Amino acid sequence: MNTTEQQFLKALDDKLWKAADKLRSNLDAANYKHIVLGLIFLKYVSDAFEERQEELKALFQKNDDDNIYYLPRDDFNSDEDYQQAIADELEILDYYQEKNIFWVPRHARWSTLKDTATLAIGSVIWQNEQGEDVKLRSISWLIDNALDEIEKANSKLKGILNRISNYQLDNEKLIGLINSFSDTSFRNPEYQGEKLELHSKDILGHVYEYFLGQFALAEGKQGGQYYTPKSIVTLIVEMLQPFQGRVYDPAMGSGGFFVSSEKFIEEHAKERHYDASEQKKHISVYGQESNPTTWKLAAMNMAIRGIDFNFGKKNADTFLDDQHPDLRADFVMANPPFNIKDWWHARLEEDVRWQYGTPPKGNANFGWMQHMLHHLNDNGSMALLLANGSMSSNTNNEGVIRRKLIEADLVECMVALPGQLFTNTQIPACIWFLTKNKQGKNATAKDGGSAENAGAISGQVDRRGETLFIDARNMGFMKDRVLRDFTREDIATIADTFHAWQQGKSYENKPGFCFAASLEDIQKHDFVLTPGRYVGAAEQDDDGEPFADKMMRLTGLLQEQFSESDRLEEEIKKNFSGLGYHV
């Protein structure tokens, strides 16, 4: 985005958050997020629906031989009949589904919500299917009714959308929130007189992500379970390049990896001369989440963007109640909670997933890793965010498991991250990139995995017996006093380094940043995978002065400075003595 677009989104974020934050006096963040995100959801799906309606309305009236939507005016007896025919056509579900547009029933549309909210409580607002008058009971009831209508029309969202009547908010506060969202132009936006190239989907998707991040900050440690920093998600997606195939996240939170995968496709489809909407049909999304609230947030997040998804029949524990037991994915990405202690159950003894060793009962890190490997097909690749201890710990079988993973040639790349990236923990983190196939683009799938995903996208060469180490601890910037973030340039530097190594193009080891290690190199370090051990120290600029000469010169300079310090100290003592003070 250009600077003007960024300024527009920043002003929009501030405005909407300020409006939403007025609820804080009545509810804590864990509760009022349901109200705010529910309204953003309604606004978003309504805007996308109405945008398609306007497009269809123009198509119905456009006399063009190639236009299959055209409704000839001459086929109708009167202009009134013609306009009614157009209105009837606009309510046909297929026109929206063919463009992957979320269907919004009439009484759930934002225009209905906004207009009805201004009426007096008790006013008749419409007639139901039985011809009975329906009266406005409260604004919270009005919103809940809209959510009911959407769930009835969209079976995948049944039981997903949170109702707000339970929170007992007064009508005026809710009307104020509705007006704040209504007063904002999400379509054809302008900023300081300049028209922007942002679509309503981009804007509201951004707002939804921004609010998730703000709620995660407000909720502290608990909030972090549903939100992974956008820059980290983007980095992983840019490195894995999930352009087609099955994408799985066993600890999906609010679904950030899936959203970034969709954005990746949109951005890179143009480079490959593909139609983005067609390319998205080649991606299948699978996820699992144990927290019921977060599971619902993820489903809403997918619905907002028109992403088809399979999150299992319910929220469930990934280890004890796997919702996708037969899935073998092309890409697996996850940011599970670090170092979970109370995850073990007797049922997990001798589990088929522990192919490289039974994980410690007091730490789930290598349980997550092996669960993900189990769900990876023979050409698949995965990325896993873990605490730094996973790279070096030898306690409770962790060292043994790590060694077996290395000897099986599964570890493709290790990335050490800077601190202060996460809202909910200060534990230093790293990213493990593992793959079932380092052979490159000539690989063939054995269990239904796409051979194209093995290397056709990135043009991989044979990297068997090698692992790339990247030390990114000194990258990024402080976005505020607490949190660090990556710039787009940082993300591109890391991802480009990884792809250059994969492709065998213009890759070079860079001291202090990256190093391609052999299995023998890793063995020398006792199978510890900390990148700092391999990349070494960054090279210092060579000024051409021999080291011995430089040391002699600097030592002499230091002696001169010491002598000058002694002289100044004597001068100060004389001055104090002249004033009658003895130092």
Side-chain angles (χ1 to χ4, degrees), residues 363-379:
N363 192 318
N365 287 345
F366 284 94
W368 287 111
M369 189 177 297
Q370 293 191 83
H371 171 86
M372 292 168 67
L373 280 168
H374 175 74
H375 282 288
L376 206 60
N377 67 43
D378 285 343
N379 279 318

Side-chain angles (χ1 to χ4, degrees), residues 240 246 248-250 329-334 372 375-376 381-383:
L240 283 185
R246 290 156 292 191
Y248 173 53
D249 184 347
D330 296 282
F331 302 98
V332 185
M333 300 176 274
M372 292 168 67
H375 282 288
L376 206 60
S381 297
M382 60 172 269

Side-chain angles (χ1 to χ4, degrees), residues 462-515:
D462 194 332
R463 286 297 186 188
R464 283 177 290 182
E466 284 188 47
T467 297
L468 179 64
F469 290 90
I470 297 176
D471 191 343
R473 289 177 297 172
N474 295 321
M475 301 181 76
F477 68 101
M478 294 303 296
K479 62 189 293 187
D480 54 38
R481 292 180 301 170
V482 179
L483 289 174
R484 180 177 290 273
D485 204 357
F486 280 139
T487 64
R488 287 293 306 180
E489 290 73 21
D490 293 330
I491 293 170
T493 297
I494 298 169
D496 289 348
T497 299
F498 178 56
H499 297 148
W501 171 78
Q502 281 185 319
Q503 298 163 12
K505 296 179 180 178
S506 65
Y507 171 80
E508 292 182 0
N509 292 330
K510 183 177 178 182
F513 178 62
C514 61
F515 183 81

Side-chain angles (χ1 to χ4, degrees), residues 118 206 269 303 338 375 383 422 457 562:
T118 61
H206 166 86
F338 297 163
H375 282 288
F422 300 90
I457 292 173
F562 282 152

Side-chain angles (χ1 to χ4, degrees), residues 15-16 22 32 57 67 128 196 198 222 224 259 304 347 357 372 417 428 430 441 453 460 469 481 490 516 565:
K15 173 187 174 181
L16 296 182
K22 292 178 181 177
Y32 80 80
K57 198 170 185 179
N67 180 16
N128 61 23
L196 307 179
L198 291 173
Q222 183 180 1
V259 173
I304 274 180
R347 284 162 45 198
M372 292 168 67
L417 297 172
C430 61
K441 61 185 178 183
N453 282 328
Q460 294 176 4
F469 290 90
R481 292 180 301 170
D490 293 330
S565 175

Side-chain angles (χ1 to χ4, degrees), residues 8 33 75 132 136 149 158 164 188 215 302 349 353 361 365 378 404 413 418 483 485 513:
F8 165 77
K33 74 165 176 274
D75 291 354
E132 302 167 334
L136 179 60
E149 292 285 326
K158 186 175 182 180
I164 69 169
N188 305 317
F215 285 126
M302 298 304 102
E349 293 283 359
R353 290 170 288 187
K361 297 180 180 179
N365 287 345
D378 285 343
K404 288 182 178 178
C413 180
L483 289 174
D485 204 357
F513 178 62

Side-chain angles (χ1 to χ4, degrees), residues 220-381:
K221 184 175 181 180
Q222 183 180 1
Q225 67 185 326
Y226 60 79
Y227 184 77
T228 302
K230 184 178 177 182
S231 61
I232 302 302
V233 175
T234 302
L235 172 62
I236 287 174
V237 170
E238 288 289 337
M239 291 179 73
L240 283 185
Q241 298 182 309
F243 203 66
Q244 58 187 17
R246 290 156 292 191
V247 180
Y248 173 53
D249 184 347
M252 66 183 179
S254 58
F257 282 115
F258 304 134
V259 173
S260 283
S261 296
E262 184 202 32
K263 290 179 181 176
F264 171 83
I265 291 171
E266 290 175 348
E267 291 173 7
H268 293 272
K270 296 177 183 177
E271 299 172 11
R272 298 176 172 86
H273 307 291
Y274 289 127
D275 177 78
S277 60
E278 285 298 315
Q279 189 61 38
K280 289 178 193 176
K281 295 177 182 178
H282 299 288
I283 281 281
S284 303
V285 164
Y286 300 83
Q288 181 154 350
E289 172 60 44
S290 61
N291 184 290
T293 298
T294 310
W295 186 71
K296 292 178 179 180
L297 284 177
M300 288 172 62
N301 209 359
M302 298 304 102
I304 274 180
R305 294 168 171 83
I307 300 174
D308 192 28
F309 62 93
N310 181 345
F311 292 164
K313 296 179 180 179
K314 58 181 179 178
N315 61 287
D317 184 291
T318 299
F319 294 117
L320 297 175
D321 190 4
D322 191 346
Q323 293 290 294
H324 309 284
D326 299 321
L327 174 65
R328 296 297 178 267
D330 296 282
F331 302 98
V332 185
M333 300 176 274
N335 172 27
F338 297 163
N339 304 325
I340 295 180
K341 291 180 170 54
D342 55 347
W343 72 287
W344 186 259
H345 190 279
R347 284 162 45 198
L348 296 175
E349 293 283 359
E350 307 297 328
D351 194 287
V352 67
R353 290 170 288 187
W354 315 148
Q355 185 177 351
Y356 302 95
T358 303
K361 297 180 180 179
N363 192 318
N365 287 345
F366 284 94
W368 287 111
M369 189 177 297
Q370 293 191 83
H371 171 86
M372 292 168 67
L373 280 168
H374 175 74
H375 282 288
L376 206 60
N377 67 43
D378 285 343
N379 279 318
S381 297

